[in-house]
CSV table of all heavy atoms in Angstrom, one decimal:
chain,number,residue,atom,x,y,z
A,74,GLY,N,45.0,32.2,72.6
A,74,GLY,CA,46.0,32.3,73.7
A,74,GLY,C,47.1,31.3,73.5
A,74,GLY,O,48.3,31.7,73.7
A,75,GLU,N,46.8,30.1,73.1
A,75,GLU,CA,47.8,29.1,72.9
A,75,GLU,C,48.7,29.5,71.7
A,75,GLU,O,49.9,29.3,71.8
A,75,GLU,CB,47.2,27.7,72.7
A,75,GLU,CG,46.7,27.2,74.0
A,75,GLU,CD,46.1,25.8,74.0
A,75,GLU,OE1,45.6,25.4,72.9
A,75,GLU,OE2,46.0,25.1,75.0
A,76,GLU,N,48.1,30.1,70.7
A,76,GLU,CA,48.9,30.5,69.5
A,76,GLU,C,49.8,31.7,69.9
A,76,GLU,O,51.0,31.7,69.6
A,76,GLU,CB,47.9,31.0,68.4
A,76,GLU,CG,48.6,31.3,67.1
A,76,GLU,CD,47.6,31.8,66.1
A,76,GLU,OE1,46.5,32.2,66.4
A,76,GLU,OE2,48.0,31.9,64.9
A,77,LEU,N,49.3,32.6,70.8
A,77,LEU,CA,50.1,33.7,71.2
A,77,LEU,C,51.3,33.2,72.1
A,77,LEU,O,52.4,33.6,71.9
A,77,LEU,CB,49.2,34.7,72.0
A,77,LEU,CG,48.2,35.5,71.2
A,77,LEU,CD1,47.2,36.2,72.1
A,77,LEU,CD2,48.9,36.5,70.3
A,78,ALA,N,51.0,32.3,73.0
A,78,ALA,CA,52.0,31.8,73.9
A,78,ALA,C,53.1,31.1,73.1
A,78,ALA,O,54.3,31.0,73.6
A,78,ALA,CB,51.4,30.9,75.0
A,79,GLU,N,52.8,30.4,72.0
A,79,GLU,CA,53.7,29.7,71.2
A,79,GLU,C,54.7,30.6,70.5
A,79,GLU,O,55.8,30.2,70.1
A,79,GLU,CB,53.0,28.9,70.1
A,79,GLU,CG,52.4,27.6,70.6
A,79,GLU,CD,53.5,26.6,70.9
A,79,GLU,OE1,54.4,26.4,70.0
A,79,GLU,OE2,53.5,26.0,72.0
A,80,LEU,N,54.3,31.9,70.3
A,80,LEU,CA,55.1,32.9,69.5
A,80,LEU,C,56.5,33.1,70.1
A,80,LEU,O,57.4,33.2,69.4
A,80,LEU,CB,54.4,34.2,69.5
A,80,LEU,CG,53.2,34.5,68.5
A,80,LEU,CD1,52.7,35.9,68.7
A,80,LEU,CD2,53.6,34.2,67.1
A,81,HIS,N,56.5,33.2,71.4
A,81,HIS,CA,57.8,33.6,72.1
A,81,HIS,C,57.6,33.3,73.6
A,81,HIS,O,56.5,33.5,74.1
A,81,HIS,CB,58.0,35.1,71.9
A,81,HIS,CG,59.4,35.5,72.0
A,81,HIS,ND1,60.0,35.6,73.3
A,81,HIS,CD2,60.4,35.9,71.1
A,81,HIS,CE1,61.3,36.0,73.1
A,81,HIS,NE2,61.5,36.2,71.8
A,82,ASP,N,58.7,33.0,74.3
A,82,ASP,CA,58.5,32.6,75.7
A,82,ASP,C,58.3,33.9,76.6
A,82,ASP,O,58.0,33.8,77.8
A,82,ASP,CB,59.7,31.8,76.2
A,82,ASP,CG,61.0,32.4,76.0
A,82,ASP,OD1,61.1,33.6,75.7
A,82,ASP,OD2,62.1,31.7,76.2
A,83,GLN,N,58.5,35.1,76.0
A,83,GLN,CA,58.2,36.3,76.8
A,83,GLN,C,56.7,36.7,76.7
A,83,GLN,O,56.3,37.6,77.5
A,83,GLN,CB,59.0,37.5,76.2
A,83,GLN,CG,60.5,37.4,76.6
A,83,GLN,CD,61.3,38.4,75.8
A,83,GLN,OE1,62.3,38.0,75.1
A,83,GLN,NE2,61.0,39.7,75.9
A,84,ILE,N,55.9,36.0,75.9
A,84,ILE,CA,54.5,36.4,75.8
A,84,ILE,C,53.7,36.0,77.0
A,84,ILE,O,53.8,34.9,77.5
A,84,ILE,CB,53.9,35.8,74.5
A,84,ILE,CG1,54.5,36.4,73.2
A,84,ILE,CG2,52.4,35.9,74.5
A,84,ILE,CD1,54.0,37.7,72.8
A,85,VAL,N,52.9,37.0,77.4
A,85,VAL,CA,51.9,36.8,78.5
A,85,VAL,C,50.5,37.0,77.8
A,85,VAL,O,50.3,38.0,77.2
A,85,VAL,CB,52.1,37.8,79.6
A,85,VAL,CG1,51.0,37.7,80.7
A,85,VAL,CG2,53.5,37.6,80.3
A,86,VAL,N,49.6,36.0,78.0
A,86,VAL,CA,48.3,36.1,77.3
A,86,VAL,C,47.4,37.0,78.1
A,86,VAL,O,47.1,36.8,79.3
A,86,VAL,CB,47.7,34.7,77.1
A,86,VAL,CG1,46.4,34.8,76.4
A,86,VAL,CG2,48.7,33.8,76.3
A,87,LYS,N,46.9,38.0,77.4
A,87,LYS,CA,46.0,39.0,78.1
A,87,LYS,C,44.6,38.6,77.8
A,87,LYS,O,44.1,38.5,76.7
A,87,LYS,CB,46.3,40.4,77.5
A,87,LYS,CG,46.1,41.6,78.4
A,87,LYS,CD,46.6,42.8,77.7
A,87,LYS,CE,46.4,44.0,78.6
A,87,LYS,NZ,46.7,45.3,77.9
A,88,VAL,N,43.8,38.5,78.9
A,88,VAL,CA,42.5,37.9,78.9
A,88,VAL,C,41.5,38.9,79.6
A,88,VAL,O,41.8,39.4,80.7
A,88,VAL,CB,42.4,36.6,79.6
A,88,VAL,CG1,41.0,36.0,79.7
A,88,VAL,CG2,43.4,35.6,79.0
A,89,PRO,N,40.4,39.3,78.9
A,89,PRO,CA,39.5,40.2,79.6
A,89,PRO,C,38.7,39.6,80.8
A,89,PRO,O,38.5,38.4,80.8
A,89,PRO,CB,38.5,40.6,78.5
A,89,PRO,CG,38.5,39.4,77.5
A,89,PRO,CD,39.9,38.8,77.6
A,90,MET,N,38.4,40.4,81.7
A,90,MET,CA,37.7,40.0,82.9
A,90,MET,C,36.2,39.9,82.6
A,90,MET,O,35.3,40.7,82.9
A,90,MET,CB,37.9,41.1,84.1
A,90,MET,CG,37.1,40.9,85.3
A,90,MET,SD,36.8,39.2,85.9
A,90,MET,CE,38.3,38.8,86.6
A,91,ILE,N,35.9,38.7,82.0
A,91,ILE,CA,34.5,38.4,81.7
A,91,ILE,C,34.3,36.9,82.1
A,91,ILE,O,35.3,36.3,82.4
A,91,ILE,CB,34.1,38.5,80.2
A,91,ILE,CG1,35.1,37.8,79.3
A,91,ILE,CG2,34.1,40.0,79.8
A,91,ILE,CD1,34.8,37.8,77.8
A,92,ARG,N,33.1,36.4,82.1
A,92,ARG,CA,32.9,35.0,82.6
A,92,ARG,C,33.8,34.0,82.0
A,92,ARG,O,34.5,33.2,82.6
A,92,ARG,CB,31.4,34.6,82.4
A,92,ARG,CG,31.1,33.2,82.9
A,92,ARG,CD,29.6,33.0,82.7
A,92,ARG,NE,28.8,33.7,83.7
A,92,ARG,CZ,28.4,33.3,84.9
A,92,ARG,NH1,28.8,32.1,85.3
A,92,ARG,NH2,27.7,34.1,85.7
A,93,ASP,N,33.8,34.0,80.6
A,93,ASP,CA,34.6,33.0,79.9
A,93,ASP,C,36.1,33.3,80.1
A,93,ASP,O,37.0,32.4,80.0
A,93,ASP,CB,34.3,32.9,78.4
A,93,ASP,CG,33.1,31.9,78.2
A,93,ASP,OD1,32.5,31.5,79.2
A,93,ASP,OD2,32.9,31.5,77.1
A,94,GLY,N,36.4,34.6,80.4
A,94,GLY,CA,37.8,35.0,80.6
A,94,GLY,C,38.3,34.4,81.9
A,94,GLY,O,39.5,33.9,82.0
A,95,VAL,N,37.5,34.3,82.9
A,95,VAL,CA,37.9,33.7,84.2
A,95,VAL,C,38.2,32.2,83.9
A,95,VAL,O,39.2,31.7,84.4
A,95,VAL,CB,36.8,33.8,85.3
A,95,VAL,CG1,37.1,33.1,86.5
A,95,VAL,CG2,36.6,35.3,85.6
A,96,LYS,N,37.3,31.5,83.2
A,96,LYS,CA,37.6,30.1,82.8
A,96,LYS,C,38.9,30.0,82.1
A,96,LYS,O,39.6,29.0,82.3
A,96,LYS,CB,36.4,29.6,82.0
A,96,LYS,CG,35.0,29.5,82.7
A,96,LYS,CD,34.0,29.0,81.8
A,96,LYS,CE,32.6,29.2,82.3
A,96,LYS,NZ,31.5,28.9,81.4
A,97,ALA,N,39.1,30.9,81.1
A,97,ALA,CA,40.3,30.8,80.3
A,97,ALA,C,41.6,31.0,81.2
A,97,ALA,O,42.6,30.3,81.1
A,97,ALA,CB,40.3,31.9,79.2
A,98,LEU,N,41.5,31.9,82.2
A,98,LEU,CA,42.6,32.2,83.1
A,98,LEU,C,43.0,30.9,83.8
A,98,LEU,O,44.1,30.5,84.0
A,98,LEU,CB,42.3,33.3,84.1
A,98,LEU,CG,42.1,34.7,83.6
A,98,LEU,CD1,41.5,35.6,84.7
A,98,LEU,CD2,43.5,35.2,83.2
A,99,LYS,N,41.9,30.2,84.3
A,99,LYS,CA,42.1,28.9,85.0
A,99,LYS,C,42.8,27.9,84.1
A,99,LYS,O,43.7,27.2,84.5
A,99,LYS,CB,40.8,28.4,85.6
A,99,LYS,CG,40.8,27.1,86.3
A,99,LYS,CD,41.5,27.2,87.7
A,99,LYS,CE,41.4,25.9,88.5
A,99,LYS,NZ,42.6,25.3,88.6
A,100,TYR,N,42.2,27.8,82.9
A,100,TYR,CA,42.8,26.8,81.9
A,100,TYR,C,44.2,27.1,81.7
A,100,TYR,O,45.1,26.2,81.7
A,100,TYR,CB,42.0,26.9,80.6
A,100,TYR,CG,42.5,26.1,79.5
A,100,TYR,CD1,42.1,24.8,79.3
A,100,TYR,CD2,43.5,26.6,78.6
A,100,TYR,CE1,42.7,24.0,78.3
A,100,TYR,CE2,44.0,25.9,77.6
A,100,TYR,CZ,43.6,24.6,77.4
A,100,TYR,OH,44.2,23.8,76.4
A,101,PHE,N,44.6,28.4,81.4
A,101,PHE,CA,46.0,28.7,81.1
A,101,PHE,C,46.9,28.5,82.3
A,101,PHE,O,48.0,28.0,82.1
A,101,PHE,CB,46.1,30.2,80.6
A,101,PHE,CG,45.5,30.4,79.2
A,101,PHE,CD1,44.6,31.5,79.0
A,101,PHE,CD2,45.8,29.6,78.2
A,101,PHE,CE1,44.1,31.7,77.8
A,101,PHE,CE2,45.3,29.8,76.9
A,101,PHE,CZ,44.4,30.9,76.7
A,102,SER,N,46.4,28.9,83.5
A,102,SER,CA,47.1,28.7,84.7
A,102,SER,C,47.5,27.2,84.9
A,102,SER,O,48.6,26.8,85.2
A,102,SER,CB,46.3,29.3,85.9
A,102,SER,OG,46.8,28.8,87.1
Side-chain angles (χ1 to χ4, degrees):
E75 287 181 335
E76 186 181 16
L77 290 168
E79 278 291 308
L80 281 179
H81 201 286
D82 59 11
Q83 286 167 238
I84 293 283
V85 173
V86 179
K87 208 171 180 189
V88 176
M90 173 36 78
I91 54 176
R92 179 178 290 269
D93 274 11
V95 174
K96 295 179 192 172
L98 290 170
K99 176 76 173 108
Y100 173 88
F101 290 131
S102 163

